[in-house]
Amino acid sequence: MKKEIQIKKWCLLLMTAVLATSLTACGSGNKSGGTSTSDTAANSASNKPIKLRIMWWGSQARHDATLKALNAYTQKHPNITFEPEFSGIDGYADKLATQASAKNAPDIIQMDAKWLAEYAGRNQLADLSKGIRTEDIDKSLVDSGKYKDKLYAIPLGNNANGMIYNKNTVDKLGVTPPNNNWTWDQYFQFGKDAKAKLDKGKYALMDATADYDTYTSYQVSQGKGYPVTADGKFNIDKETWLGFIKKYAELRKDGIVPTPEITTTDIEYDAKMDLMNNETVLVRRTLAAIFPGYESLKPGAYMLVKTPKGTQAGGWLKPSMFWSVSADSKYAEESKKFIDWFVNENEASDILTTTRGIPVSNKILAYMAPKFTAADKQQGELIKSVAPDAQPFNPGAKGWSNYTSKDYKDVGEKVLFGKLTPEAGYDELVKKAKDYQ
């Protein structure tokens, strides 16, 4: 009942944001959404020069907007400058893990929900319970940044998992387009129908043999739960996994998904190497918060839909990402002041728009709603569509991040290239899981 009430509240808020194009903004121009704790503290703080290291992943659109926001903050606080580190998602987790182990993590870290328990559990993140305003953020979202009742991460956007497809190409092909009610059987049939009309060297679907996130949606949709439970138990269902892997072997044989050599060149969010961006595939899994990056490269070309369903829905709602502060930062207070400005101020939201998802602050959401573009509304529509039958979100179990981000991919790629049979691949996953339990 509690989950249902939260979902209804969230849907109502999003519906208002998506449909209300005539809302009166809560504030005007670039006026502040309120008295910032960062502004108040800055007036009494020392003007000692401080350089904050800050690290994030994402599309070029997110990079550009974030850099502009950093510059705007420095203009307001000349003694605060930034040393940015940004990239695509590929390799980000490994880099952060290495830095944190060496006690050399950036002051401000873009954090994913599935890593939060790992870093907070190792005392590698600072407590953010004080110094950042969260009263305008729904409690369920604020709580998603907690570990053992302490706040270690500030959510930056509302989000949902789904799929993105190239609407322009699908329309030209004349095949039935993806929709919010499609099943996995219809998804695979779409691939077959589209492939029959595509040019040589073009493919309908991504190969998900080594993709933990797509398999997670599939297993959840079959009523088998998450591959790794929230309390850290191995739960990859053998029959379900083997069926999934063998299905992709068939798709590979029929040319519906790319060859292994092409699949492994994919770098998600990259303008040239992402197989969606370079028009190698028609459909891939994504998140609502990622959509502005694709839209910025090919305006009007793409559409979002829910992930296919099995015996039940395979989608969930989640925070798009968080800001966290390293426990080793010498400038934790200055970092928190920046995060407060980033989340709560109209000036920041004007620059950032929805590059990290639909704003989490209800006041900022009301302020931004009249300015939402068609692409922004697509994000909101996906979240609204996923919400009614959303699966409970699994934020990731402590100690398993390396398994889900690296080991699973390594085993999947061995199967992909024929170095392991599907059965041997499953046995390898079981074997590797024993190191984490």
Side-chain angles (χ1 to χ4, degrees):
M1 180 63 72
K2 183 179 179 181
K3 175 191 169 188
E4 185 177 333
I5 292 172
Q6 289 176 339
I7 287 176
K8 286 181 178 179
K9 181 180 179 182
W10 201 357
C11 286
L12 180 62
L13 180 61
L14 286 167
M15 189 179 297
T16 302
V18 171
L19 300 178
T21 55
S22 60
L23 284 176
T24 301
C26 299
S28 59
N30 286 327
K31 291 181 180 179
S32 166
T35 302
S36 169
T37 57
S38 58
D39 288 338
T40 302
N43 291 333
S44 59
S46 166
N47 288 323
K48 169 187 169 183
I50 292 172
K51 179 176 287 187
L52 299 176
R53 289 173 58 212
I54 181 170
M55 179 175 168
W56 70 91
W57 75 83
S59 65
Q60 190 61 47
R62 184 182 298 165
H63 298 336
D64 292 343
T66 306
L67 290 173
K68 288 180 182 178
L70 301 184
N71 288 335
Y73 191 81
T74 296
Q75 289 178 9
K76 290 176 68 70
H77 309 276
N79 64 312
I80 306 293
T81 56
F82 296 90
E83 182 180 331
E85 302 174 32
F86 54 86
S87 66
I89 191 66
D90 191 56
Y92 181 95
D94 288 342
K95 181 179 180 181
L96 177 57
T98 300
Q99 291 176 326
S101 295
K103 296 188 177 297
N104 188 39
D107 299 285
I108 304 169
I109 304 163
Q110 188 168 287
M111 177 63 59
D112 190 84
K114 62 187 176 185
W115 310 328
L116 181 58
E118 192 90 16
Y119 285 91
R122 292 176 179 171
N123 299 315
Q124 293 174 322
L125 301 178
D127 185 356
L128 304 182
S129 300
K130 296 181 180 179
I132 300 173
R133 291 168 292 166
T134 60
E135 60 270 19
D136 291 322
I137 304 174
D138 287 343
K139 183 178 184 301
S140 60
L141 268 180
V142 175
D143 288 349
S144 71
K146 290 182 177 180
Y147 176 76
K148 292 188 175 180
D149 295 327
K150 281 191 177 182
L151 187 64
Y152 292 102
I154 301 297
L156 300 180
N158 288 323
N159 206 5
N161 67 324
M163 289 196 167
I164 183 173
Y165 73 94
N166 190 318
K167 181 181 183 298
N168 288 351
T169 302
V170 169
D171 287 348
K172 289 176 184 176
L173 295 177
V175 296
T176 302
N179 64 78
N180 282 331
N181 293 312
W182 62 343
T183 65
W184 284 102
D185 287 342
Q186 290 171 329
Y187 170 76
F188 296 133
Q189 185 61 47
F190 168 84
K192 183 178 180 180
D193 294 343
K195 177 58 184 177
K197 298 186 176 185
L198 285 168
D199 293 337
K200 184 178 179 180
K202 302 293 183 181
Y203 304 88
L205 313 175
M206 286 287 291
D207 192 325
T209 301
D211 185 353
Y212 181 82
D213 291 336
T214 300
Y215 177 70
T216 296
S217 292
Y218 183 79
Q219 179 169 304
V220 167
S221 76
Q222 306 306 312
K224 303 293 185 178
Y226 282 84
V228 176
T229 65
D231 59 351
K233 291 183 174 60
F234 176 81
N235 188 47
I236 297 179
D237 182 75
K238 183 174 183 178
E239 183 179 354
T240 304
W241 192 80
L242 289 177
F244 182 83
I245 296 302
K246 290 178 180 179
K247 181 63 180 180
Y248 274 94
E250 294 174 12
L251 298 173
R252 205 157 46 246
K253 180 181 177 182
D254 294 338
I256 294 169
V257 300
T259 64
E261 291 79 10
I262 293 175
T263 294
T264 52
T265 66
D266 177 63
I267 301 177
E268 199 170 3
Y269 319 146
D270 187 275
K272 295 181 179 179
M273 300 303 291
D274 183 303
L275 295 184
M276 172 64 73
N277 279 331
N278 62 28
E279 300 190 4
T280 300
V281 300
L282 287 182
V283 183
R284 74 173 300 155
R285 61 128 179 93
T286 193
L287 294 162
I290 303 305
F291 191 70
Y294 288 107
E295 175 72 10
S296 69
L297 294 172
K298 294 185 176 69
Y302 300 119
M303 290 288 290
L304 290 171
V305 292
K306 293 170 66 174
T307 60
K309 59 185 178 182
T311 58
Q312 60 187 31
W316 53 81
L317 302 174
K318 68 183 289 287
S320 61
M321 62 209 68
F322 303 94
W323 280 136
S324 290
V325 175
S326 170
D328 297 310
S329 173
K330 296 178 181 178
Y331 305 115
E333 293 306 311
E334 289 79 8
S335 296
K336 287 194 285 186
K337 292 169 190 173
F338 167 75
I339 294 171
D340 181 85
W341 174 85
F342 195 96
V343 172
N344 289 303
E345 293 300 313
N346 292 350
E347 178 188 16
S349 66
D350 284 335
I351 299 169
L352 298 162
T353 63
T354 57
T355 54
R356 281 179 172 80
I358 300 296
V360 294
S361 163
N362 292 330
K363 284 186 178 180
I364 295 298
L365 179 58
Y367 170 72
M368 291 298 296
K371 306 178 183 183
F372 276 1
T373 65
D376 297 332
K377 292 175 184 178
Q378 274 212 59
Q379 287 190 69
E381 288 291 351
L382 178 62
I383 295 168
K384 188 174 70 173
S385 297
V386 169
D389 57 5
Q391 298 297 328
F393 175 57
N394 181 341
K398 179 185 175 182
W400 284 84
S401 63
N402 204 49
Y403 182 87
T404 58
S405 63
K406 186 177 185 299
D407 290 345
Y408 186 94
K409 181 179 179 181
D410 290 345
V411 171
E413 289 185 350
K414 288 178 181 177
V415 174
L416 188 62
F417 281 97
K419 295 179 180 179
L420 287 175
T421 64
E423 290 76 11
Y426 181 81
D427 290 343
E428 186 69 12
L429 288 173
V430 172
K431 180 181 177 181
K432 286 183 176 293
K434 291 179 180 178
D435 295 334
Y436 297 87
Q437 295 190 86

